[in-house]
Amino acid sequence: LDLKMPGLSGSEVLKRIKADFPETKIVVTTGSQINRDPVTGEITAIPKMELHDIDALKMADDIFIKPFVVENLLARINELLK
């Protein structure tokens, strides 16, 4: 799921999917830089992103920053599907 999509934002789609289907695994892709706590891995900040978007991102099962290696994304998706 990309965060920047025409019409409904990716963060809004993510929130709706998780509300209706909480067990659904979601991998987000974004071009935004994400700051994480080095110990917990918790998202601490995303420059130029609204707070509600950050809250939505915390519902994702994983986040890939563009550009990313497609094979790594596919491996992660396969792992989540097991």
Side-chain angles (χ1 to χ4, degrees), residues 24-61:
T24 301
K25 304 296 184 191
I26 298 177
V27 176
V28 169
T29 63
T30 182
S32 299
Q33 185 58 43
I34 295 176
N35 300 328
R36 294 179 184 260
D37 181 285
V39 176
T40 66
E42 173 99 6
I43 297 170
T44 57
I46 304 172
K48 300 181 184 176
M49 188 171 282
E50 299 289 330
L51 187 57
H52 66 274
D53 290 331
I54 294 172
D55 289 340
L57 267 183
K58 291 179 180 182
M59 292 185 241
D61 294 283

